[in-house]
Every structure is written in structure tokens, then in C-alpha cells.
Amino acid sequence: MIRSTQIVRLDGLILCGSVDDEQAESALVDIKAKVKKLIRMFSKNSANEASIESDQFTIHYVVKDSVIFLCICDQSYPRKLAFTYLSDISSEFTSMYPSGQYLSPTAKSYGYIEFDTYIQKAKRSYQDSRATQNLDKLNDDLKDVTKVMTKNIEELLYRGDSLDKMGEMSGRLREDSRKYKKAAVRINWNLLISKYGPIGGLLLIMTMFIWWRFF
């Protein structure tokens, strides 16, 4: 299930955070402390989306318009559904508020706490991954999360890895994927030509002969 949600600018200013119940809050003390450290590591070169594992939880985030939309989920919660949830949250937030407002130097910490009303509504909608509407979202091929980078939070916080490196790796993976797709298309065309080219050539010659002979 989705445990907690935060909306934070890249410079670290918290715009909104979900109001979690006391039981959830006590269970999330450690992971939220790690999230605070993680947020300090963000820059404009960080990966635009990633999943970061930490014990029984996974932190998923997307960056949109210089704002980090982040949620803490149980590790068993479907990653595809988590990113669909974040896409929903980010789209609603950026459509409700002008960027000049939430990116302004005068914006205040938790200045958009009223947006938690929408967060709570969305959380309830996405909470049960087995609900029919969420199964439909899981089956939707439009959201491909197979290329989303996954890291362990210990590697990021204590072993020298960085979100910038993840961004570079993610970019290389996307570029390699495009190259492989182009190569696969070219190979398929070559196979088709080698397989059917002689037949096509023969048919063309026969057609030209018939045209010349009878017309």
C-alpha cells in the first residue's frame, strides 16, 4: 500500500506532505529520515524517475517541472501502480497551481498543504492493488516502468552512489534501447529482403514480360 507522499522542490523546499495517521507515522520514522537525506542529494541532473529500496519499503519518485513527487510504499506494492499514482498526483498539482507560484523564491514551506485533500483521495483510490480499476491500470501498456532505475538506499546514502549517476545510467539505457530497436528493425528488413527479394524480383520480371508480350 501507499504509506506516505511528499511534494518537494529540487532545492529542498517541501511544498506539501500527506498527513499520515499516528500508527503509520511511527512505522515510517526511519524511512522518512532517509527520505530527508535523499532529498538533499537531488539536482537538475538527477534521474527523472527511480525506485529506491529500503528494507520493507520502496521509495518511488518522479521529477516534473523542478518538483519531486515522491511516495513511500510497501515493497510488495506494484511499481507500475505507484508510478501511475505519482503521475496522477503530479498532473493534478501542476494543473492546479501555476509554476511561477510554487517555484517562486517567496514560496513557503508546506505552502500547499491543502493539496493533501487530493492526495488522500488519490491514496484511497490506489490503495487496493486488486481493485478492478487498479487492475486495469496495471494492464495498461502505456506506462512502461521496466526501464525505471532501481537502487538500494544504502548505496545512495552511504556508498558514494548518486542520483546524478542514476540519471546518466538511465539516459544511457534509453539511448541503448533506441539503438537496439533501430538495429532490430534493420535486421528484420534485411531478413525479409533476403527471404522474399528473389521471389519479388522474379514476379517483377514476369510482370514486365507479360506487359511487353501482350500489351
Side-chain angles (χ1 to χ4, degrees), residues 75-88:
Q75 206 166 73
S76 59
Y77 190 77
R79 187 161 64 146
K80 191 171 187 177
L81 205 54
F83 278 100
T84 305
Y85 165 75
L86 289 174
S87 177
D88 184 349

Side-chain angles (χ1 to χ4, degrees), residues 8 12 16 19 22 30-31 46 56 82 90 102 121 125 130 142 144 149 174-175 177 180 187 203 207 210:
V8 188
C16 181
V19 178
E22 291 184 10
D30 183 56
I31 185 67
S46 299
Q56 74 268 36
S90 61
Y102 55 77
K121 180 182 176 182
S125 174
R130 294 167 297 179
L142 293 178
D144 181 13
M149 296 293 293
R174 284 194 294 270
E175 183 61 30
S177 178
Y180 290 140
I187 290 169
L203 288 173
T207 302
I210 293 170

Side-chain angles (χ1 to χ4, degrees), residues 50-51 60 62 68 74 89-90 95 130-131 148-149 160 205 212 214:
S51 298
H60 304 283
V62 298
I68 307 157
D74 292 331
I89 293 292
S90 61
S95 64
R130 294 167 297 179
V148 174
M149 296 293 293
I205 292 171
W212 174 78
F214 297 102

Side-chain angles (χ1 to χ4, degrees), residues 2-170:
I2 300 168
R3 297 286 185 171
S4 186
T5 306
Q6 292 187 31
I7 302 174
V8 188
R9 289 195 330 197
L10 278 177
D11 62 5
L13 183 73
I14 300 175
L15 300 174
C16 181
S18 60
V19 178
D20 307 317
D21 60 64
E22 291 184 10
Q23 185 177 357
E25 192 67 38
S26 60
L28 297 173
V29 170
D30 183 56
I31 185 67
K32 283 191 173 183
K34 291 178 179 178
V35 166
K36 283 184 180 179
K37 293 179 181 178
L38 184 69
I39 287 171
R40 297 191 197 108
M41 300 174 66
F42 275 90
S43 74
K44 291 182 178 180
N45 297 320
S46 299
N48 286 330
E49 54 184 10
S51 298
I52 301 164
E53 298 172 346
S54 178
D55 299 324
Q56 74 268 36
F57 299 113
T58 302
I59 303 161
H60 304 283
Y61 78 81
V62 298
V63 178
K64 182 177 181 180
D65 195 19
S66 298
V67 176
I68 307 157
F69 297 87
L70 177 151
C71 65
I72 301 169
C73 301
D74 292 331
Q75 206 166 73
S76 59
Y77 190 77
R79 187 161 64 146
K80 191 171 187 177
L81 205 54
F83 278 100
T84 305
Y85 165 75
L86 289 174
S87 177
D88 184 349
I89 293 292
S90 61
S91 295
E92 184 67 18
F93 185 86
T94 53
S95 64
M96 279 185 66
Y97 306 106
S99 60
Q101 183 177 322
Y102 55 77
L103 295 179
S104 169
T106 59
K108 295 180 180 179
S109 180
Y110 289 98
Y112 298 85
I113 194 64
E114 74 275 4
F115 187 72
D116 183 51
T117 302
Y118 184 83
I119 290 176
Q120 297 300 334
K121 180 182 176 182
K123 276 177 65 178
R124 286 193 295 271
S125 174
Y126 282 85
Q127 213 62 289
D128 185 0
S129 61
R130 294 167 297 179
T132 302
Q133 62 185 24
N134 291 332
L135 287 174
D136 290 341
K137 291 168 186 169
L138 283 171
N139 292 327
D140 184 0
D141 292 333
L142 293 178
K143 186 62 181 174
D144 181 13
V145 297
T146 57
K147 297 182 182 67
V148 174
M149 296 293 293
T150 302
K151 272 283 184 182
N152 186 283
I153 198 165
E154 306 298 327
E155 295 174 344
L156 289 170
L157 297 183
Y158 309 117
R159 298 178 194 168
D161 277 0
S162 71
L163 292 168
D164 289 4
K165 287 182 182 178
M166 289 180 69
E168 292 170 6
M169 290 174 64
S170 179

